[in-house]
Amino acid sequence: RLDGSSHILTLRDVVEDDRGVDALVLEYCEGGDLIRRMVRREQGGPTDEAAAFGIWRQIVDGVTHMHTCGVAHLDLKPQNVLLTNDADVPHVKLCDFSHSYIITAAEPLVPPTQVGAGKYMAPEVALGVRYDGKLADCWSCGVILYTLLTGALPFADADKIGIAEWRRVGWFSPKLTALLESIFVVAVDRRIRATDLLASAWATEQLGAGPSP
């Protein structure tokens, strides 16, 4: 299993053009973004869950690494998850840190003006108050997982996001449903943290079923 930092897009260089504007030279990801993997799926099973986990665990590893470094991404969505190749289980790279926030002891909460992620955004981000960026990232990880599995969003509209009323899926395993229920929690003090996602019963079962990507 690779270190979580391997799932963060690498900055190769910063080049100043003739106008004095800095251009970022970034790592190339030939597999495009995660949108390419989103397929509408009304029926599925263990194989689909395992395939989604192979990608999702890399996202969680990258997010956990960022959180360990004191950074909240705040704009986690499929468009900001790049794939370095087009394999069945591609190598994942997180990108676009324009909304990211550096957490400090003096400023542990994100200012209410700092938002991103749109339909992948946790409900507290839209309340106009300071919020825990790490827990907001965790919510976004849950939405990405759901969308990766079904090709659809878990919430019908913003009102449903506000009360965490997500669309249940009949073919999801009980452990997967329990994991999503622990993520889609409005009360942030009861929401699971990203650092605990891979210790969930569903993730533990997936980790025991096959080799690490």
Side-chain angles (χ1 to χ4, degrees):
R1 181 176 173 182
L2 297 172
D3 180 82
S5 62
S6 71
H7 300 300
I8 307 297
L9 194 69
T10 301
L11 174 64
R12 300 292 190 193
D13 201 359
V14 179
V15 179
E16 186 178 286
D17 65 17
D18 54 9
R19 297 170 300 169
V21 178
D22 288 338
L24 306 181
V25 181
L26 301 171
E27 180 179 7
Y28 177 62
C29 295
E30 63 183 28
D33 63 34
L34 194 58
I35 287 291
R36 298 179 58 185
R37 298 283 174 138
M38 301 299 182
V39 177
R40 285 276 179 174
R41 186 180 295 110
E42 295 184 359
Q43 298 295 326
T47 300
D48 300 293
E49 290 191 18
F53 180 75
I55 295 174
W56 186 72
R57 68 168 292 187
Q58 297 180 66
I59 298 171
V60 173
D61 277 341
V63 171
T64 300
H65 173 75
M66 291 179 61
H67 289 180
T68 301
C69 295
V71 177
H73 189 284
L74 305 182
D75 198 19
L76 292 169
K77 54 189 178 184
Q79 296 91 327
N80 289 338
V81 179
L82 301 182
L83 313 175
T84 62
N85 56 60
D86 213 12
D88 289 341
V89 181
H91 188 77
V92 164
K93 296 279 185 174
L94 302 180
C95 70
D96 191 351
F97 302 96
S98 58
H99 293 280
S100 297
Y101 181 75
I102 298 176
I103 300 161
T104 65
E107 296 289 346
L109 299 178
V110 182
T113 54
Q114 198 146 344
V115 300
K119 294 177 181 178
Y120 294 78
M121 190 169 67
E124 65 270 14
V125 179
L127 294 179
V129 298
R130 288 184 171 271
Y131 61 94
D132 187 317
K134 293 181 181 181
L135 287 169
D137 278 351
C138 186
W139 177 286
S140 299
C141 285
V143 182
I144 290 173
L145 175 59
Y146 184 102
T147 310
L148 185 57
L149 284 158
T150 66
L153 290 164
F155 302 99
D157 52 42
D159 290 338
K160 299 299 185 185
I161 293 175
I163 58 175
E165 187 176 309
W166 60 284
R167 299 184 181 99
R168 285 352 190 232
V169 178
W171 61 265
F172 281 6
S173 65
K175 290 179 180 178
L176 173 57
T177 298
L179 171 59
L180 291 171
E181 287 178 341
S182 71
I183 296 173
F184 298 144
V185 177
V186 175
V188 292
D189 58 330
R190 295 194 292 109
R191 187 183 306 159
I192 190 173
R193 289 189 169 270
T195 49
D196 297 322
L197 290 174
L198 296 183
S200 66
W202 181 71
T204 301
E205 182 175 78
Q206 299 299 322
L207 288 167
S212 300

